[in-house]
């Protein structure tokens, strides 16, 4: 009976549920990156010249940059010439309705729990489904259109609303912002576009479901959400990928723009393939997400539940420009086995009386390494700005690690930033106490972990909060015996 | 149905060690349904070790002996199986579980036990009605229901919460490990009254303490003295008074003595 001493270290990670591959004909470009590949992508998408120029400029800039290595994560060098930059399931790219979607694709999304037939989906959620490099379906588009809301794939937005795309593309994350943002700007293939007109409160959750299917492809999607004066929207993204032994790069860019009195709530449930128990394979999730509270009283709220990916490296941030604007960041990041995460946020206070809240919950198990990295900056003119940050780490076992790197820069005297941090460990004593009350070790861990995360989960739209809880249970399965 | 003559717990020549040190050195004890036993003894004599071994804490290694609980081989059962079968330990040092609401925790625990018994799970409404009634047994303020399990509770509040758990889970065999320590005299009285209300002909209680005063309130049928990992003396409730007067030194270390 003497097996409890190593129970907390034991990690028989359960099979990744979404690891299947869809057998579908794909239209791909050969691996490698050069101007011709970019021209080819742009041509396939029948893009206007200005966009091709923007891509090429980004590419030329990217070529002058070096991959950053300041982060607290380790990975072998990425061979950018071995990546396939475009792969799309063969289908008529301009679908009139859902009945034209390849049945194999519909089946894939069904298997993932994301039915694309509108009548089968949760009534309150509109979905854009992105498969490798392209969007394959967007639901409830017509219904939303009646309210003036545009919710479509990025490619379609480029075709149908070029003036809007041109106005906002790169306005929050410039194409030369960082190495991966520059790469994305050069080669991005699809993603979602949302535009909420003045005064409209979007009546349903908008959601994008990203799926990587093809081997050796990178996924480089872009999401752009614009909420005009007084508009409100809640948006959710979900992600999965097949199990493969090779690492795959996912370098997305998300830009949010909130004008006066607008509110954007952006939630992520990230469950890319995390790699196997020995740390082989898995997605490199290197993403730039930034929101701009451009208007007074605007609000941008990021909520993320990051359970997947071999490496998660991202800092969903808010530029608080409008006076009295509000930025929020709620995060749960889980690392198990050999997963690594370096994530956090940047809250840049520029306007007066701006407010930000950061709640970060890092869970480390197995050999996982979890870092919170955050910057709270209050510029000289951001008088009476306020920030509250809470960064908690929970450790399961003693081979994992938790690290916190908070940076606080307050450049005026009327502003205040508060930072609290805790580190705790699920101990054998706690597990035994729970067992003595009749709970299994697994139930005990779930109970403790969900208790630890509840401040973040309650920020998620309801249906997804339940999903997120389950996902957490699966991610940590086997972490105790 | 269980009856008063049934052996709920039967410990035979139990030896257990921690990291190679033998702590329990031949325990023999039989507890029948309906009985209350007290185990007294100096610090370090092995009382908590015995409680821990019975509950299945695996920091301890059983090297010899047998334990039967309600007709089953206890040592072969997982700790959670023991708990689900009605074995309850009120911890000497109750553990804090941050972030987990006390009543939610108990609901999960009770439902694990009910599932094991083949009963339906209680829903939130029925459960709430149940615990509102149970807090009264230990006169615990309802505010403790919505706080994280034991977190920030005073020593006495933790002990009271343990007995509250006992009241909700309705165990067959309860081991109360120094539940009296940390309780002031009024609290001791209410908690002891609570325990008395939970006594029945079907269940049994083993009270571990090294003070006699608790036994004024929870009157035992049998008192045992533990020294150096053995039960060296057993007697009626008067033995507790004698120990209070004379200390433990006079008790000879000859197992199995009866006064
Ligand atoms: N985990 C442990 N490691 C080493 N020694 C232990 C451990 N637990 C208990 N002991 C020792 O076992 C003996 C009995 O302890 P315990 O059962 O707690 O006594 P009591 O409850 O009667 O005061 C003590 O000498 C104690 O130091
Ligand atoms: Mg003790």
């Amino acid at each position: 009976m003497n097996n409890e001493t190593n129970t907390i270290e034991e990690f028989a990670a359960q099979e990744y549920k979404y690891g299947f591959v869809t057998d579908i004909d794909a239209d791909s470009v050969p691996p490698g990156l050069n101007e011709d590949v970019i021209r080819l992508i742009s041509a396939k998408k029948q893009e206007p010249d200005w966009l091709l120029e923007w891509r090429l400029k980004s590419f030329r800039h990217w070529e002058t940059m070096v991959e950053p290595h300041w982060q607290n994560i380790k990975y072998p060098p990425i061979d950018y010439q071995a990546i396939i930059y475009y792969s799309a399931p063969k289908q008529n790219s301009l679908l009139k309705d859902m009945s034209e979607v390849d049945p194999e694709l519909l089946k894939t999304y069904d298997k993932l729990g994301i039915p694309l037939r509108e009548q089968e989906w949760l009534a309150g959620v509109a979905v854009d489904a992105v498969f490798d490099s392209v969007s394959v379906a967007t639901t409830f588009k017509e219904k939303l259109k009646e309210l003036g809301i545009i919710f479509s794939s990025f490619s379609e937005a480029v075709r149908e609303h070029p003036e809007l795309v041109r106005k906002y593309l790169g306005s929050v994350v410039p194409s030369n912002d960082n190495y991966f943002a520059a790469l994305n700007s050069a080669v991005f293939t699809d993603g979602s576009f949302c535009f909420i007109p003045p005064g409209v409160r979007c009546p349903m959750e908008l959601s994008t479901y990203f799926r990587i299917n093809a081997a050796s492809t990178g996924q480089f999607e872009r999401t752009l959400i614009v909420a005009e004066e007084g508009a409100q929207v809640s948006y959710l993204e979900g992600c999965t990928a097949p199990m493969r032994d090779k690492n795959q790069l996912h370098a997305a860019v998300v830009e949010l723009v909130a004008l006066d009195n607008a509110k954007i709530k952006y939630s992520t449930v990230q469950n890319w393939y995390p790699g196997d128990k020995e740390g082989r394979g898995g997605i490199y999730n290197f993403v730039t997400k930034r929101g701009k509270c451009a208007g007074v009283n605007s609000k941008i709220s990021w909520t993320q539940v990051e359970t997947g990916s071999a490496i998660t490296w991202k800092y969903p941030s808010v530029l608080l420009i409008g006076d009295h604007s509000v930025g929020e960041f709620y995060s749960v990041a889980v690392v198990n086995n050999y997963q690594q995460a370096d994530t956090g946020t940047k809250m840049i206070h520029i306007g007066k009386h701006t407010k930000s809240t950061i709640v970060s919950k890092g869970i480390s198990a197995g050999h996982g390494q979890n870092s919170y990295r955050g910057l709270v900056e209050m510029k000289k003119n951001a008088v009476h700005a306020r920030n509250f940050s809470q960064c908690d780490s929970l450790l399961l076992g003693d081979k994992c690690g938790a690290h916190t790197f908070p940076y606080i820069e307050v450049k005026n005297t009327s502003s205040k930033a508060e930072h609290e941090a805790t580190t705790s460990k699920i101990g054998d004593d706690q597990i035994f106490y729970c067992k003595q009350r009749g709970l299994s070790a697994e139930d005990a861990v779930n109970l403790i972990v969900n208790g630890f995360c509840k401040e973040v989960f309650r920020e998620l739209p309801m249906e997804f909060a339940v999903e997120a809880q389950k996902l957490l249970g699966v991610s940590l399965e086997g972490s105790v015996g | 149905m269980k009856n008063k003559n049934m052996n709920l717990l039967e410990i035979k020549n139990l030896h257990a060690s921690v990291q190679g040190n033998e702590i329990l050195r031949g325990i023999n004890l039989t507890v029948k349904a309906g009985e209350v036993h007290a185990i007294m003894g100096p610090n370090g004599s092995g009382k908590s070790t015995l409680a821990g071994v019975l509950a299945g804490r695996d920091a301890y290694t059983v090297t010899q002996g047998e334990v039967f609980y309600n007709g089953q081989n206890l040592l072969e059962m997982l700790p959670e199986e023991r708990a689900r079968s009605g074995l309850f330990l009120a911890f000497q040092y109750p553990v804090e579980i941050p972030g987990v609401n006390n009543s939610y925790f108990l609901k999960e625990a009770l439902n694990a036990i009910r599932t094991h018994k083949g009963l339906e799970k209680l829903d939130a409404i029925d459960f709430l009605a149940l615990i509102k009634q149970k807090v009264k047994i230990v006169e615990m303020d309802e505010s403790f229901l919505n706080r994280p399990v034991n977190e920030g509770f005073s020593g006495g509040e933790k002990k009271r919460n343990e007995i509250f758990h006992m009241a909700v889970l309705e165990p067959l065999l309860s081991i109360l490990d120094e539940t009296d320590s940390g309780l002031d005299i009024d609290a001791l009285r209410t908690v002891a009254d609570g325990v008395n209300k939970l006594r029945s002909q079907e269940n049994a209680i083993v009270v571990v303490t090294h003070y006699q005063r608790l036994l004024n309130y929870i009157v035992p049928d049998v008192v045992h003295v533990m020294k150096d990992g053995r039960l060296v003396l057993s007697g009626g409730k008067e033995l507790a008074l004698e120990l209070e007067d004379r200390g433990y030194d006079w008790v000879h270390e000859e197992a199995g003595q009866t006064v």
Side-chain angles (χ1 to χ4, degrees):
Chain A
M1 355 192 295
N2 204 2
N3 57 2
E4 201 171 290
T5 27
N6 49 11
T7 51
I8 297 227
E9 293 137 36
E10 260 166 41
F11 254 110
Q14 91 147 39
E15 287 287 297
Y16 179 72
K17 217 167 90 188
Y18 309 100
F20 63 90
V21 178
T22 306
D23 186 13
I24 192 160
D25 265 353
D27 170 17
S28 309
V29 299
L33 184 55
N34 51 51
E35 294 202 1
D36 287 342
V37 168
I38 293 168
R39 286 176 206 281
L40 189 63
I41 292 172
S42 190
K44 277 184 188 295
K45 304 179 106 40
Q46 301 157 17
E47 286 176 352
D49 287 345
W50 64 264
L51 190 50
L52 175 61
E53 281 313 309
W54 195 77
R55 286 175 180 278
L56 292 171
K57 203 176 119 210
S58 307
F59 176 66
R60 287 167 199 148
H61 191 86
W62 178 74
E63 285 188 305
T64 68
M65 299 171 97
V66 279
E67 199 182 305
H69 286 287
W70 45 263
Q71 72 285 9
N72 191 29
I73 53 185
K74 292 188 190 75
Y75 59 93
I78 297 173
D79 180 358
Y80 292 91
Q81 295 306 332
I83 295 173
I84 294 171
Y85 288 86
Y86 183 87
S87 172
K90 274 190 186 140
Q91 65 169 12
N92 183 349
S93 58
L94 296 169
L95 299 173
K96 280 190 204 71
D97 66 58
M98 223 46 77
S99 63
E100 292 181 9
V101 177
D102 187 317
E104 273 302 310
L105 283 177
L106 290 179
K107 259 196 263 163
T108 298
Y109 284 90
D110 276 348
K111 241 163 125 179
L112 296 169
I114 316 285
L116 296 179
R117 299 170 201 89
E118 294 183 0
Q119 65 277 18
E120 289 172 24
W121 182 241
L122 301 159
V125 186
V127 184
D128 182 24
V130 177
F131 192 85
D132 290 335
S133 302
V134 295
S135 165
V136 292
T138 309
T139 64
F140 291 108
K141 228 158 54 185
E142 291 308 309
K143 202 170 161 195
L144 293 166
K145 206 168 157 186
E146 288 165 22
L147 295 163
I149 295 170
I150 303 168
F151 178 46
S152 72
S153 71
F154 206 94
S155 313
E156 188 180 325
V158 169
R159 285 194 303 270
E160 310 275 321
H161 307 281
E163 67 305 333
L164 280 177
V165 175
R166 195 169 184 177
K167 181 170 174 191
Y168 290 109
L169 179 69
S171 70
V172 187
V173 181
S175 63
N176 59 0
D177 187 79
N178 67 68
Y179 189 79
F180 294 101
L183 177 62
N184 175 288
S185 301
V187 303
F188 74 92
T189 44
D190 217 332
S192 297
F193 176 78
C194 316
F195 175 84
I196 321 292
V200 173
R201 179 190 281 228
C202 185
M204 52 174 72
E205 295 285 334
L206 301 185
S207 125
T208 302
Y209 195 87
F210 295 101
R211 172 77 179 166
I212 296 177
N213 187 61
S216 307
T217 54
Q219 193 169 37
F220 305 93
E221 83 274 2
R222 259 192 115 90
T223 297
L224 174 56
I225 301 178
V226 179
E228 295 228 310
E229 289 81 1
Q232 289 187 25
V233 63
S234 171
Y235 177 93
L236 183 125
E237 63 172 352
C239 339
T240 59
M243 288 157 68
R244 298 187 192 282
D245 340 326
K246 284 231 183 80
N247 296 104
Q248 278 178 283
L249 179 63
H250 169 253
V253 171
V254 176
E255 298 180 279
L256 312 181
V257 180
L259 302 187
D260 289 353
N261 301 303
K263 289 195 171 78
I264 301 175
K265 184 175 173 62
Y266 191 107
S267 313
T268 303
V269 176
Q270 185 266 111
N271 187 27
W272 295 120
Y273 177 54
D276 68 10
K277 273 190 276 180
E278 274 76 46
R280 278 184 304 250
I283 302 293
Y284 291 162
N285 188 36
F286 299 169
V287 171
T288 306
K289 288 181 163 169
R290 195 174 301 154
K292 182 155 88 177
C293 280
V296 295
N297 268 322
S298 54
K299 178 176 175 184
I300 289 179
S301 201
W302 297 102
T303 304
Q304 60 174 25
V305 177
E306 306 280 331
T307 59
S309 295
I311 303 176
T312 292
W313 181 16
K314 63 173 197 166
Y315 313 95
S317 302
V318 185
L319 301 171
L320 296 150
I321 297 168
D323 293 346
H324 297 276
S325 59
V326 177
E328 294 175 338
F329 174 73
Y330 297 95
S331 170
V332 167
V334 182
V335 291
N336 191 359
N337 299 318
Y338 287 88
Q339 282 176 277
Q340 307 174 65
D342 192 317
T343 184
T345 185
K346 286 187 268 183
M347 293 290 175
I348 312 296
H349 293 253
I350 298 163
K352 302 180 183 71
H353 296 276
T354 45
K355 249 171 52 185
S356 63
T357 304
I358 299 171
V359 177
S360 161
K361 304 280 179 175
I363 300 165
S364 314
H367 292 81
Q369 293 295 328
N370 212 332
S371 300
Y372 167 80
R373 188 184 304 275
L375 169 66
V376 175
E377 186 181 348
M378 289 157 173
K379 305 261 193 205
K380 203 158 160 243
N381 295 326
V383 292
H384 300 290
R386 289 281 176 279
N387 162 268
F388 174 75
S389 302
Q390 172 83 46
C391 300
D392 299 323
S393 306
L394 184 66
L395 300 167
L396 282 81
D398 46 22
K399 295 193 178 72
C400 52
H403 318 271
T404 314
F405 306 98
Y407 303 92
I408 300 172
E409 295 171 18
V410 181
K411 291 169 184 149
N412 68 66
T413 51
S414 61
S415 293
K416 251 195 209 119
E418 282 175 71
H419 179 88
E420 288 176 12
T422 66
T423 299
S424 50
K425 199 172 161 174
I426 299 187
D428 283 330
D429 277 359
Q430 287 173 320
I431 301 289
F432 179 68
Y433 187 80
C434 294
K435 284 182 176 175
Q436 211 304 304
R437 294 298 182 260
L439 303 171
S440 66
E442 220 118 80
D443 290 345
V445 169
N446 273 339
L447 209 60
I448 295 169
V449 166
N450 280 312
F452 178 73
C453 299
K454 70 184 163 206
E455 286 161 273
V456 174
F457 285 164
R458 72 171 165 236
E459 296 297 323
L460 286 172
M462 239 237 301
E463 305 86 336
F464 300 107
V466 177
E467 272 309 299
Q469 265 187 35
K470 279 194 221 144
L471 198 56
L472 216 62
V474 172
S475 302
L476 291 170
E477 203 138 298
S479 60
V480 292
Chain B
M1 254 349 281
K2 327 259 163 346
N3 60 55
K4 199 173 159 66
N5 295 317
M6 179 177 166
N7 286 348
L8 207 47
L9 180 69
E10 214 179 334
I11 304 175
K12 292 180 183 168
N13 190 32
L14 182 68
H15 291 249
S17 56
V18 183
Q19 292 162 344
N21 299 323
E22 184 163 68
I23 312 286
L24 300 184
R25 304 191 296 150
I27 302 274
N28 291 289
L29 176 67
T30 300
V31 178
K32 291 186 190 322
E35 291 181 342
V36 173
H37 287 236
I39 297 179
M40 302 182 73
N43 281 328
S45 58
K47 303 182 299 294
S48 294
T49 303
L50 176 61
V53 168
L54 294 177
R57 191 191 275 276
D58 59 9
Y60 309 116
T61 311
V62 173
T63 53
Q64 254 191 81
E66 288 177 312
V67 181
F68 294 95
Y69 164 70
N70 201 18
Q72 291 168 277
N73 184 342
L74 186 75
L75 300 179
E76 285 181 352
M77 296 163 75
L78 294 171
E80 59 269 35
E81 289 169 353
R82 301 178 193 200
R84 291 172 197 162
S85 312
L87 187 145
F88 179 88
L89 171 61
F91 285 63
Q92 182 176 2
Y93 304 107
V95 178
E96 300 191 0
I97 309 188
V100 180
N101 180 300
N102 199 19
S103 64
Y104 184 71
F105 174 78
L106 266 183
K107 179 165 157 264
E108 296 296 298
L110 180 63
N111 282 333
I113 292 167
R114 288 179 66 92
T115 304
H116 178 81
K117 286 182 183 164
L119 298 172
E120 255 183 54
K121 290 185 178 185
L122 282 192
D123 63 24
I125 295 168
D126 290 343
F127 179 75
L128 191 66
L130 175 78
I131 56 172
K132 291 225 165 180
Q133 175 207 328
K134 298 289 187 181
V135 281
K136 292 192 188 123
I137 293 178
V138 290
E139 295 179 24
M140 193 170 85
D141 194 281
E142 283 188 19
S143 65
F144 287 96
L145 297 177
N146 294 317
R147 286 173 55 178
V149 180
N150 292 323
E151 194 185 36
F153 289 23
S154 73
E157 287 161 354
K158 284 179 181 168
K159 297 305 179 71
R160 195 187 292 253
N161 192 41
E162 292 292 281
I163 303 306
F164 168 61
H165 285 192
M166 174 181 166
V168 173
L169 302 178
E170 300 182 329
L172 218 46
L173 175 67
S174 304
I175 303 160
L176 314 185
D177 191 358
E178 296 206 26
T179 298
D180 50 344
S181 62
L183 291 175
D184 61 45
I185 192 72
D186 294 329
L188 181 73
R189 184 169 212 133
T190 42
V191 168
D193 281 350
V195 172
N196 286 330
K197 284 179 202 147
L198 300 171
R199 284 174 79 158
S200 79
Q201 291 306 306
E202 279 80 45
N203 63 26
I205 302 172
V206 175
V207 182
V208 172
T209 178
H210 52 224
Y211 296 111
Q212 185 272 336
R213 61 175 191 169
L214 176 67
L215 305 179
N216 289 335
Y217 302 110
I218 304 174
V219 181
D221 298 297
V222 192
V223 176
H224 308 272
V225 180
M226 180 167 316
K227 265 188 119 174
D228 292 329
R230 288 195 192 106
L231 297 179
V232 292
L233 187 64
S234 300
K237 59 175 188 274
E238 330 71 51
L239 177 58
L241 288 168
E242 192 170 358
L243 291 166
E244 171 100 323
D245 269 2
R246 298 175 60 189
Y248 294 108
D249 287 345
W250 61 278
V251 182
H252 299 296
E253 289 188 34
E254 288 153 31
Q257 258 195 66
T258 307
V259 177

